Amino acid sequence: GHIRLLLESHFFTIPVAARSYRPGIFAFYIFVIAVIGLALKKMYTTHAPVIAGAAGRTFGPIIQYGPKSLHSATVVMLHGLGDTGNGWAPVAPEMGMDHIKWIFPTAPTRPISVNMGMQMPGWFDIDHLDEASFLKMMKGSHGFDQDGTDESVDYVLKLIDAEIKATGIPAERIVLGGFSQGGHVALKTLLRQSGHRLAGYMALSTWLEPVAASIDDAGRKTPLFYGHGSSDPLIPPMVAQLSADHLQKNLQLEDLRFKMYPGMQHSTCSQEMQDMRAFLAAVLPPVEPKAEDINGMSVRELKTFISSRGGSSDSILEKSELQEKARSLL
């Protein structure tokens, strides 16, 4: 058997064959990821969640970024195996969408079977990564760790409900996305969607095994952006294509935007990032602020709004003057 040791992040994926695994090299990769994470942590707001899973596992810190202007939309982005919320946090400023608040949760730490039982952040356990087993799963074999997956979906639904209650942002102004393992949880959340319709979903370099699900009209009409690499060595492109076919033909999603990126491996690329931004711009366009919204804006939000309208706030010192300037630009 061929065993891979796997870590996934927005920047790179590290698969290491067991026969060539050297603890020193792997420890170095862990160190590099930790240093990057600590450096990025200073750029964002960190919140420690209090939600514990059904198995007693506590989910990790939540990283938040933005909004820089009037908060009118939220994106929740789930990382891949072995990563944390910090791994995808740099995407927020890359998108340059000032009205969006970004939430980057961190999965609970658990033993991962495919990584020889090592403890690492994971939304659920994975026991294989070989192509033959993946294809067998796509033909009806059971998926990965159903209990762990359900636990993570429950957590994400609670997180979204908490965001709605805390901010007043409605469900139809929230997008849920994820990469690899996180993308799988996002897709399973789509299958559980009920009561309110999200603005959209993003599934990157991931899969969905054939599952029987009853999706209501709101769920079928929810836009889904699904990107995958044609050279993905971990999740075969054929698996992604079969997943997309299942979503469209069997589950009857009406707005599936599936795209295979030539040469992309188990990561992301600039074109996919551009397509993600276009998708978010379409489903979460900025909302024109009203006069009453001006009073609730922070100083930073007021300055951003004034700048977006071509005005200048350089000589304005008082918040009341910033509010008056902003009202004049409505």
Side-chain angles (χ1 to χ4, degrees), residues 39-76:
L40 292 173
K41 187 175 182 180
K42 297 179 180 179
M43 299 167 56
Y44 306 88
T45 303
T46 304
H47 299 274
V50 296
I51 303 174
R57 283 183 288 265
T58 300
F59 287 73
I62 298 172
I63 310 301
Q64 293 185 5
Y65 180 90
K68 289 186 175 181
S69 62
L70 177 66
H71 181 200
S72 63
T74 296
V75 173
V76 179

Side-chain angles (χ1 to χ4, degrees), residues 231-249:
S231 299
D232 192 323
L234 299 181
I235 302 173
M238 176 60 71
V239 169
Q241 185 63 63
L242 290 170
S243 300
D245 291 344
H246 174 61
L247 287 161
Q248 193 163 45
K249 297 176 183 178

Side-chain angles (χ1 to χ4, degrees), residues 251-264:
L251 301 181
Q252 300 182 329
L253 263 63
E254 299 178 12
D255 193 1
L256 171 62
R257 311 176 192 191
F258 178 69
K259 186 170 182 179
M260 190 73 72
Y261 294 89
M264 190 175 81

Side-chain angles (χ1 to χ4, degrees), residues 35-173:
V35 169
I36 293 174
L38 288 173
L40 292 173
K41 187 175 182 180
K42 297 179 180 179
M43 299 167 56
Y44 306 88
T45 303
T46 304
H47 299 274
V50 296
I51 303 174
R57 283 183 288 265
T58 300
F59 287 73
I62 298 172
I63 310 301
Q64 293 185 5
Y65 180 90
K68 289 186 175 181
S69 62
L70 177 66
H71 181 200
S72 63
T74 296
V75 173
V76 179
M77 191 70 187
L78 310 177
H79 61 77
L81 177 64
D83 200 4
T84 68
N86 281 304
W88 274 83
V91 169
E94 286 178 18
M95 293 289 110
M97 308 180 83
D98 292 341
H99 64 291
I100 292 178
K101 172 185 175 182
W102 292 78
I103 298 176
F104 302 95
T106 297
T109 297
R110 66 176 79 226
I112 301 297
S113 298
V114 75
N115 284 350
M116 297 171 284
M118 290 186 64
Q119 296 270 349
M120 61 184 61
W123 299 107
F124 51 87
D125 189 25
I126 288 182
D127 58 9
H128 66 74
L129 280 173
D130 60 286
E131 183 172 352
S133 296
F134 253 123
L135 292 175
K136 182 180 179 182
M137 183 170 66
M138 297 306 295
K139 292 179 180 179
S141 177
H142 68 86
F144 297 115
D145 185 14
Q146 188 62 50
D147 290 341
T149 304
D150 288 344
E151 180 184 41
S152 290
V153 171
D154 288 341
Y155 168 74
V156 170
L157 289 172
K158 290 177 182 177
L159 194 64
I160 291 171
D161 285 342
E163 174 68 5
I164 294 171
K165 292 175 182 176
T167 66
I169 297 296
E172 59 267 22
R173 293 288 296 172

